[in-house]
């Protein structure tokens, strides 16, 4: 029988316990924010009334909860999960904590394709949007990969290629909106990012795309850990950097394409959440990604609830709220990194 290793050589018995407890706490926080999303609106409901509206078909609140707030909450949950995971994967691929899907032009590709579909083809439903969004994200992902050097792509070259495409595509989006006044009203809420028009049908169709992207992203946790050590070290550990990058880009395409098609290009969620998560979990992607999947919808739904409260009886679109919250965070983080570097 092989003797047990000395106590000093064994991993600490409870080293994962704090992170597991933290993840459980994050799930409870997500449940609370989801409950607030069901209760807060033009007609505020007490939490017990929102629960009756969710579970009792005879309740007077049933129609409000099931036809308006439940689809909106489910859409926020899925879109938040998609954007948070996409941001975590993107930052790991670029080895840059300031990276998010916008860095490589992924959101811009989806936005350009969907705006083109609205303006030139008259597409008005999620079923139509989503395929154009996937086409846009896929085309941009391939373009960035080629511009970045293909199999020899480096994080810096990927970031530079993505930034150039991002600027060009959003310029195109703005030009289409200015030139096509007939389609401007259809596009204006979509392009700022919104959950207000959520429908049960949209949430039902979105779940399959998000589920595929989530499974692929979580499966890449170990290869992304190896990639963080550098390509040569990753190969020595049996990983395949090119395959990991291709899988990561596919996951980001699925997640961002679906979320952007359903809600519009919502910014800063994929930037803020992974950075905050790493302060809780460290760099291990096996914990970073699950935390991102839980805390990103907390941020997105929380921003949506805040937008409903601040502008009553109207509301602020969630994309505006996340931009207002994310802008100061981004500036603070950039200044902090400069101070640390100095």
């Amino acid at each position: 029988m092989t003797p047990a290793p000395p106590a000093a050589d064994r991993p600490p018995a409870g080293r994962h316990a704090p992170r597991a407890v933290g993840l459980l706490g994050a799930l409870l926080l997500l449940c609370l924010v989801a409950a607030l999303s069901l209760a807060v609106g033009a007609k505020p409901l007490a939490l017990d009334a929102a629960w009756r509206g969710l579970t009792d078909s005879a309740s007077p609140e049933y129609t409000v909860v099931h036809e308006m707030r439940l689809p909106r909450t489910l859409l926020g949950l899925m879109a938040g999960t998609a954007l948070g995971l996409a941001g975590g994967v993107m930052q790991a691929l670029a080895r840059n904590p300031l990276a998010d899907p916008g860095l490589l032009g992924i959101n811009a590709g989806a936005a350009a394709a969907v705006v083109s579909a609205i303006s030139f083809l008259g597409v008005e439903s999620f079923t139509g949007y989503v395929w154009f969004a996937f086409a846009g994200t896929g085309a941009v992902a391939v373009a960035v990969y080629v511009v970045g050097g293909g199999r020899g792509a480096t994080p810096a070259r990927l970031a530079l290629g993505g930034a150039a495409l991002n600027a060009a595509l959003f310029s195109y989006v703005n030009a289409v909106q200015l030139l096509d006044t007939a389609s401007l009203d259809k596009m204006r809420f979509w392009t700022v990012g919104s959950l207000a028009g959520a429908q049960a049908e949209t949430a039902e169709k979105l779940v399959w795309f998000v589920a595929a992207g989530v499974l692929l992203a979580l499966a890449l946790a170990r290869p992304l850990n190896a990639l963080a050590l550098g390509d040569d070290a990753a190969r020595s550990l049996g990983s395949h950097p090119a395959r990991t990058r291709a899988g990561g880009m596919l996951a980001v395409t699925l997640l961002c394409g679906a979320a952007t098609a359903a809600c519009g290009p919502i910014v800063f969620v994929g930037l803020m959440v992974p950075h905050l998560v790493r302060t809780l979990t460290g760099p291990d992607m096996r914990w970073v990604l699950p935390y991102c999947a839980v805390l990103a919808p907390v941020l997105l739904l929380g921003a949506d609830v805040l937008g409903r409260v601040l502008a009553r009886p109207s509301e602020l679109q969630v994309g505006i709220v996340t931009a207002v919250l994310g802008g100061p965070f981004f500036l603070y983080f950039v200044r902090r990194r400069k101070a640390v570097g100095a």
Side-chain angles (χ1 to χ4, degrees):
M1 179 182 297
T2 304
D9 295 335
R10 291 186 224 136
R15 65 174 181 171
H16 295 311
R19 288 183 286 194
V21 172
L23 187 58
L24 178 60
L27 286 168
L28 293 175
L29 180 60
L30 178 58
C31 291
L32 175 61
V33 174
L36 289 175
S37 180
L38 295 176
V40 175
K43 179 185 177 183
L45 301 175
L47 290 178
D48 59 339
W51 177 254
R52 287 195 302 272
L54 182 65
T55 59
D56 183 5
S57 60
S59 169
E61 294 86 8
Y62 184 85
T63 300
V64 173
V65 171
H66 275 262
E67 292 188 6
M68 299 176 62
R69 297 187 188 171
L70 182 59
R72 184 171 185 161
T73 301
L74 292 175
L75 183 60
L77 287 169
M78 288 186 284
T81 296
L83 293 172
L85 275 175
V89 171
M90 188 63 65
Q91 290 178 16
L93 287 175
R95 298 204 289 274
N96 184 345
L98 292 178
D100 75 342
L103 177 69
L104 297 192
I106 302 298
N107 284 344
V114 172
V115 165
S116 298
I118 292 172
S119 182
F120 303 130
L121 302 177
V123 178
E124 298 181 1
S125 67
F126 170 77
T127 306
Y129 290 167
V130 70
W131 302 114
F132 285 94
F134 283 145
T137 54
V140 171
V142 171
V144 171
Y145 187 67
V146 172
V147 171
R151 289 181 175 271
T154 64
R157 294 177 69 179
L158 287 173
L160 288 172
L165 285 170
N166 188 63
L169 289 170
F170 270 122
S171 296
Y172 167 78
V173 168
N174 291 331
V176 170
Q177 291 185 76
L178 289 172
L179 294 174
D180 187 0
T181 55
S183 298
L184 180 60
D185 285 340
K186 299 177 186 177
M187 294 188 287
R188 62 193 178 104
F189 285 116
W190 184 87
T191 52
V192 298
S194 175
L195 300 177
Q199 299 178 352
E201 179 185 8
T202 302
E204 290 171 2
K205 292 176 179 177
L206 182 66
V207 66
W208 302 108
F209 300 109
V210 173
V214 167
L215 291 175
L216 179 56
L218 295 178
L220 289 171
R222 286 181 181 275
L224 288 172
N225 277 342
L227 193 63
L229 302 174
D231 286 11
D232 292 338
R235 291 189 188 95
S236 69
L237 293 172
S239 184
H240 299 83
R243 191 182 303 170
T244 300
R245 288 195 181 96
M249 293 301 293
L250 177 58
V252 171
T253 297
L254 284 170
L255 294 167
C256 286
T260 305
C263 308
I266 296 174
V267 297
F268 284 122
V269 174
L271 171 67
M272 288 190 287
V273 173
H275 172 65
L276 294 173
V277 162
R278 281 192 295 272
T279 65
L280 301 173
T281 66
D284 189 345
M285 298 302 292
R286 294 172 298 174
W287 288 99
V288 170
L289 294 180
Y291 266 82
C292 286
V294 176
L295 289 178
V298 170
L299 173 62
L300 189 62
L301 284 177
D304 188 44
V305 170
L306 188 61
R308 299 182 220 175
V309 171
L310 291 177
R312 280 180 177 169
S314 185
E315 65 179 63
L316 292 174
Q317 305 304 316
V318 68
I320 297 173
V321 179
T322 59
V324 171
L325 294 174
F329 171 85
F330 181 79
L331 293 175
Y332 163 77
F333 186 51
V334 169
R335 289 179 61 86
R336 181 170 174 271
R337 285 178 62 82
K338 285 182 178 179
V340 171

